[in-house]
């Protein structure tokens, strides 16, 4: 059997693709790896430790924070600050960005955006959840303070993006623009090993993922596309199968492996949908594209959207290229993007 390659070894090996690489990015991956192991350990014994349930506070988006949201946020923050390669971090669980630009982090050139715990509604019911991250090179001067503009960069400027999925196994999946690679965690020795090199999203699939509980509020185009998904036509693999875990990371991961589309549209009382551009949609959009898939807001390429706010939301259609294009076709035909009033 060929030698198992660890995440650390692989990132360093791949650094050769970047002649000017200085090793800071692999250091950052080291910190993500460490925090993921700590969160993995807590999640795996969630029922036994005081980690389930609400924390009693809300985040800047008015959402009730789960204890594990806060726990994961603290662990990633501590790991990043300790490693000293990140000058600032923005998180779903923090109102504004945090600057680490002191001491050994002073002058570091990278910023991190993170959804520390994705799929919060599934924590207490033992359904897979995840972490989503996105890394940029700062644009403000290295010797000055970290600025909001360092975080409000379009997704096509990411230098690394990825997610950790805490499911039947724990996996870390990432891209630095050289394909998408997955690593499975071996808890017996605490190491992530390469298990899925060069992951590819099938151009077509037969799974659609959407919260049909919101059906009545969906834009006409989405209703039409769902009708298309449910029609009988063996030649085009229809009807498709509906699968919705309610954790973006898990629905995305399954659809990337099997072929499928995940949709979180805009609707009447949520004109921009629910998902956050900077630390949910951009990183997964880059992974989708790097694996041959596609990600749009129904009209625009997600990675080209110019961000204006840290926690802004966008409608999201991501997955198999032909399925996303078909959904866009229906949305173009019925342009009432914001659904029934
Ligand atoms: O319950 P809904 O409205 O279908 O929303 C589910 C979606 O919201 C999310 O839970 C939002 O992410 P967070 O859990 O990080 O807030 C996604 O993971 C998931 O796909
Ligand atoms: Mg999330
Ligand atoms: Mg979250």
């Amino acid at each position: 059997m060929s030698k198992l390659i660890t995440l650390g070894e692989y990132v360093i090996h791949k650094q050769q693709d970047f002649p000017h690489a200085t090793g800071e990015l692999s250091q950052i991956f080291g910190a993500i790896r460490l925090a993921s192991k700590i969160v993995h350990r807590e999640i795996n014994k969630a029922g036994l430790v005081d980690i389930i349930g609400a924390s009693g506070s809300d985040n800047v988006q008015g959402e009730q924070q789960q204890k594990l949201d806060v726990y994961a946020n603290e662990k990633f923050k501590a790991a990043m600050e300790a490693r000293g390669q990140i000058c600032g971090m923005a998180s779903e669980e923090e109102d504004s960005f945090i600057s680490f630009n002191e001491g050994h982090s002073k002058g570091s050139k990278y910023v991190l955006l993170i959804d520390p715990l994705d799929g919060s509604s599934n924590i207490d019911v033992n359904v897979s959840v995840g972490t989503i991250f996105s890394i940029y090179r700062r644009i403000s001067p290295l010797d000055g303070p970290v600025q909001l503009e360092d975080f409000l960069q379009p997704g096509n400027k990411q230098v690394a993006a990825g997610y950790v999925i805490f499911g039947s196994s724990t996996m870390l999946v990432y891209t630095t623009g050289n394909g998408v690679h997955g690593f499975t965690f071996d808890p017996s020795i605490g190491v992530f090993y390469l298990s899925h090199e060069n992951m590819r999203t099938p151009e077509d699939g037969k799974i659609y993922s959407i919260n049909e509980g919101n059906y009545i509020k969906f834009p006409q185009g989405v209703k039409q596309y769902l009708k298309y998904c449910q029609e009988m036509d063996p030649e085009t693999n229809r009807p498709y199968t509906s699968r919705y875990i309610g954790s973006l990371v898990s629905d995305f991961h399954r659809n990337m492996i099997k072929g499928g589309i995940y949709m979180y549209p805009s609707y009447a009382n949520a004109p921009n949908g629910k998902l956050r551009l900077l630390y949910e949609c951009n990183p997964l959009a880059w992974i989708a594209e790097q694996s041959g898939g596609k990600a749009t807001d129904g009209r625009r390429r997600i990675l080209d959207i110019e961000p204006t706010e840290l926690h802004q939301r966008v409608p999201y259609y991501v997955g198999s290229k032909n399925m996303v294009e078909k959904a866009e076709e229906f949305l173009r035909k019925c342009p009432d993007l914001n659904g029934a009033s």
Side-chain angles (χ1 to χ4, degrees):
M1 191 173 100
S2 61
K3 176 185 164 322
L4 286 174
I5 302 171
T6 71
L7 172 61
E9 289 165 344
Y10 194 80
V11 171
I12 289 168
H13 166 68
K14 279 285 174 181
Q15 233 171 265
Q16 289 154 10
D17 300 348
F18 302 91
H20 308 297
T22 54
E24 285 147 298
L25 211 51
S26 54
Q27 291 271 339
I28 299 169
F29 271 95
I32 291 172
R33 205 168 57 223
L34 174 64
S36 304
K37 291 183 194 178
I38 297 170
V39 174
H40 160 92
R41 185 196 63 206
E42 289 308 295
I43 286 180
N44 269 13
K45 56 181 182 182
L48 301 174
V49 287
D50 182 25
I51 203 86
I52 52 176
S55 67
S57 56
D58 290 356
N59 64 21
V60 65
Q61 298 146 70
E63 291 164 346
Q64 196 183 49
Q65 289 179 311
Q66 301 300 304
K67 285 181 186 160
L68 204 57
D69 285 323
V70 177
Y71 180 87
N73 189 52
E74 290 312 313
K75 294 304 165 197
F76 279 96
K77 200 161 58 177
M80 291 301 145
E81 189 158 19
R83 197 56 63 115
Q85 301 300 343
I86 289 271
C87 60
M89 173 177 138
S91 162
E92 178 190 357
E93 306 309 335
E94 303 279 349
D95 296 8
S96 181
F97 66 86
I98 306 158
S99 168
F100 295 143
N101 207 22
E102 307 295 324
H104 64 297
S105 305
K106 190 156 185 50
S108 347
K109 58 175 187 259
Y110 293 108
V111 294
L112 174 87
L113 295 110
I114 189 164
D115 176 356
L117 205 286
D118 178 66
S120 309
S121 62
N122 281 326
I123 298 169
D124 300 1
V125 290
N126 212 345
V127 171
S128 67
V129 293
T131 294
I132 313 173
F133 62 89
S134 170
I135 300 170
Y136 291 85
R137 204 170 270 112
R138 65 186 289 184
I139 47 181
S140 64
L142 290 186
D143 56 3
V146 187
Q147 307 279 348
L148 181 58
E149 61 174 353
D150 295 318
F151 298 90
L152 297 183
Q153 301 187 53
N156 54 39
K157 291 277 187 294
Q158 291 175 97
V159 292
Y163 59 86
V164 185
I165 178 167
F166 304 101
S168 41
S169 67
T170 289
M171 275 187 75
L172 188 150
V173 175
Y174 83 94
T175 189
T176 51
N178 262 320
V180 174
H181 313 292
F183 299 77
T184 300
F185 185 57
D186 179 345
S188 66
I189 37 181
V191 172
F192 282 95
Y193 283 116
L194 181 65
S195 53
H196 298 66
E197 190 167 23
N198 286 323
M199 299 176 83
R200 300 301 297 168
T201 301
E203 291 213 336
D204 268 303
K206 52 174 300 174
I207 294 172
Y208 67 94
S209 310
I210 190 168
N211 183 343
E212 291 188 76
N214 297 325
Y215 180 84
I216 201 154
K217 299 183 272 185
F218 284 157
Q220 208 46 41
V222 173
K223 289 179 180 169
Q224 295 297 327
Y225 178 62
L226 288 179
K227 193 158 159 282
Y228 170 86
C229 293
Q230 294 157 359
E231 271 160 6
M232 179 68 79
D233 178 9
E235 258 174 50
T236 55
N237 253 338
R238 287 177 296 140
Y240 297 154
T241 299
S242 170
R243 287 280 182 277
Y244 191 69
I245 296 169
S247 295
L248 167 64
V249 164
S250 316
D251 283 309
F252 175 88
H253 186 75
R254 181 214 37 248
N255 292 352
M256 178 161 72
I257 291 174
K258 293 201 164 181
I261 182 172
Y262 171 97
M263 298 171 273
Y264 209 106
S266 58
Y267 52 86
N269 43 355
N272 293 314
K274 176 179 183 177
L275 300 176
R276 283 52 60 116
L277 173 63
L278 289 172
Y279 44 78
E280 290 176 318
C281 301
N282 269 338
L284 298 183
W286 199 22
I287 295 229
E289 289 196 6
Q290 279 286 309
S291 65
K294 188 170 182 174
T296 80
D297 69 352
R299 280 178 295 156
R300 300 170 294 175
R301 180 183 180 229
I302 290 288
L303 296 179
D304 293 338
I305 296 176
E306 290 288 341
T308 52
E309 291 161 41
L310 268 186
H311 302 288
Q312 76 183 78
R313 303 172 193 259
V314 286
Y316 201 43
Y317 302 81
V318 62
S320 294
K321 188 169 166 298
N322 296 341
M323 296 179 85
V324 174
E325 285 173 356
K326 182 58 88 176
E328 286 180 300
E329 203 183 297
F330 280 98
L331 285 162
R332 268 195 304 278
K333 276 190 213 141
C334 337
D336 69 330
L337 275 178
N338 287 340
S341 48

